[in-house]
């Protein structure tokens, strides 16, 4: 694929006319249907790329949150698009002021491998809701999911609405040098610096979600066992490959041994026999399991 040709096609489509409210709702609805219909394919693709990944993890972390985002956008889109009145200075009376929200143009999305589906599709949802055209560069480290994304989006969108670009780091670097109207990148801080430098050449605004260190703080009055249970969930979910997974814990010295014991017990309960478990559902607590079960029932009936 020639990146410049694909970009120019999207840009020209934007210049030819903005997506209306009805068009945006139609596209989001079609995307919702496609994700629901292919949810088990998404599960299989993630498991193939990860070596193995629990079905419940993919449904919770990649599928359910994506559908929730689509639902939220569809529910609020009309309100988001509505012009907002603003007062004007006496000098300009009897004029009146308004803020009108218009699409930027072509939005670029560079997605990472740790949540390969939702971190590509959720930015797409928001960009489409805002009336933009979109180019997506999924991770080369999850080729099965990336191929599924390209096929799924190709069935939902036309080539002048959404384009998926496949390729290695060299293609990714060329992608970030395109003159986008906005560029979103999720990944490491080191790569994020290169992305920002590439975007700066075109004065492209960027949104960077970068890696870092996430502390967990336990205050003296908080139950240490409860804190350990929550921290264990956050650290172990998706094998710890989450941008906000806790990296270290700050707590009173006299609670250290109690925390270590409670944390170890929680991990053992969640992963009693990881090497042999086909689908380790212990990673999800009772409340989360109930919500996921209810969502799956709704998705089944809607799919």
């Amino acid at each position: 694929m020639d990146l410049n040709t694909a970009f120019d096609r999207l840009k020209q489509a934007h210049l030819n006319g903005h997506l209306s409210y009805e068009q945006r709702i139609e596209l989001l609805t079609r995307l919702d249907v496609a994700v629901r219909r292919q949810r088990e394919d998404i599960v299989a693709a993630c498991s193939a790329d990860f070596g193995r990944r629990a079905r419940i993890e993919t449904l919770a972390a990649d599928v359910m949150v994506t559908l929730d985002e689509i639902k939220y956008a569809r529910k609020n889109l009309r309100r988001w698009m509505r012009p907002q009145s603003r007062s004007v200075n006496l000098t300009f009376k009897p004029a009146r002021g308004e803020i009108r929200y218009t699409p930027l143009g072509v939005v670029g999305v560079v997605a990472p491998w740790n949540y390969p589906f939702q971190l590509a599709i959720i930015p797409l949802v928001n960009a489409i809701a805002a009336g933009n055209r979109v180019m997506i560069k999924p991770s080369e480290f999850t080729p099965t999911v990336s191929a599924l994304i390209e096929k799924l989006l190709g069935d939902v969108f036309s080539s002048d609405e959404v384009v998926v670009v496949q390729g290695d780091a060299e293609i990714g670097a060329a992608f970030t040098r395109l003159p986008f109207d906005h560029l979103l990148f999720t990944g490491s801080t080191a790569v994020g610096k290169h992305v920002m430098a590439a975007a700066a050449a075109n004065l492209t605004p960027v949104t960077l979600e970068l890696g870092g260190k996430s502390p967990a703080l336990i205050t003296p009055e908080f139950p240490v066992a409860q804190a350990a249970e929550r921290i264990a969930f956050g650290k172990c979910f998706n094998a710890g490959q989450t941008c906000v997974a806790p990296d270290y814990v700050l707590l009173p010295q006299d609670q250290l041994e109690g925390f270590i014991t409670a944390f170890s017990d929680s991990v053992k309960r969640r992963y009693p026999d990881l090497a042999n478990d086909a689908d380790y559902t212990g990673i999800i607590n009772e409340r989360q399991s109930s919500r996921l079960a209810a969502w799956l029932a709704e998705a089944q009936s809607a799919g």
Side-chain angles (χ1 to χ4, degrees):
M1 175 188 297
D2 183 83
L3 295 181
N4 291 294
T5 300
F7 175 86
D8 290 343
R9 183 171 63 247
L10 293 172
K11 188 70 173 182
Q12 190 58 52
H14 167 73
L15 295 174
N16 288 342
H18 296 169
L19 295 172
S20 67
Y21 168 80
E22 290 75 18
Q23 288 173 311
R24 301 180 204 185
I25 289 294
E26 170 66 17
L27 291 173
L28 292 173
T29 301
R30 287 163 54 187
L31 180 60
D32 180 272
V33 171
V35 173
R36 290 178 185 273
R37 184 173 59 243
Q38 298 191 42
R39 59 185 178 272
E40 295 302 332
D41 295 329
I42 298 167
V43 168
C46 284
S47 188
D49 283 337
F50 280 59
R52 187 187 61 168
R53 194 193 203 198
R55 175 176 180 269
I56 196 170
E57 259 189 336
T58 297
L59 288 174
D62 272 286
V63 179
M64 184 172 73
V65 294
T66 300
L67 292 175
D68 280 350
E69 192 75 12
I70 297 172
K71 180 179 180 180
Y72 184 76
R74 291 167 63 194
K75 178 181 178 181
N76 292 282
L77 182 54
R78 188 177 293 278
R79 177 173 58 85
W80 293 341
M81 294 179 66
R82 188 177 301 134
Q84 294 184 6
S85 298
R86 291 291 187 272
S87 60
V88 296
N89 188 284
L90 181 63
T91 307
F92 298 100
K93 296 291 186 179
R96 65 177 188 176
E98 280 187 348
I99 294 179
R100 291 180 174 267
Y101 298 95
T102 59
L104 288 172
V106 183
V107 174
V109 177
V110 182
W113 63 268
N114 58 332
Y115 291 99
F117 189 78
Q118 65 118 319
L119 289 179
I121 304 303
I122 286 180
L124 166 70
V125 170
N126 294 317
I128 291 296
N132 297 293
R133 317 287 168 153
V134 187
M135 287 184 76
I136 301 176
K137 167 61 177 71
S139 174
E140 65 270 26
F141 297 113
T142 52
T144 312
V145 175
S146 296
L148 183 148
I149 288 173
E150 184 172 17
K151 175 65 168 60
L152 186 152
L153 298 184
D155 292 340
V156 172
F157 299 97
S158 67
S159 61
D160 63 358
E161 292 168 342
V162 175
V163 172
V164 178
V165 176
Q166 305 282 8
D168 57 14
E170 184 177 346
I171 296 297
F175 183 92
T176 62
R177 291 194 293 268
L178 293 170
F180 291 111
D181 297 288
H182 198 93
L183 178 61
L184 296 93
F185 169 80
T186 304
S188 70
T189 302
V191 177
K193 292 178 180 179
H194 293 290
V195 171
M196 177 173 275
N202 297 307
L203 297 180
T204 297
V206 296
T207 298
L208 305 176
E209 183 187 349
L210 308 179
K213 289 298 179 183
S214 302
L217 176 65
I218 305 176
T219 58
E221 69 276 6
F222 196 85
V224 69
Q226 185 178 355
E229 181 76 11
R230 294 177 177 180
I231 292 170
F233 170 76
K235 185 61 179 176
C236 295
F237 190 81
N238 199 35
Q241 295 297 329
T242 307
C243 59
V244 293
D247 288 298
Y248 59 96
V249 179
L250 302 173
L251 76 167
Q253 182 68 39
D254 59 3
Q255 292 185 354
L256 178 59
E257 292 303 321
F259 173 81
I260 292 174
T261 299
F263 184 89
S264 299
D265 289 344
S266 177
V267 173
K268 290 175 183 176
R269 286 195 305 274
R270 295 175 187 277
Y271 305 94
D273 190 12
L274 182 56
N276 299 311
D277 284 348
D279 193 9
Y280 40 102
T281 56
I283 56 174
I284 307 291
N285 64 34
E286 183 177 350
R287 180 180 177 185
Q288 292 159 336
S289 294
S290 299
R291 180 168 180 255
L292 183 59
W295 173 82
L296 283 172
E298 176 190 350
Q300 189 69 40
S301 63

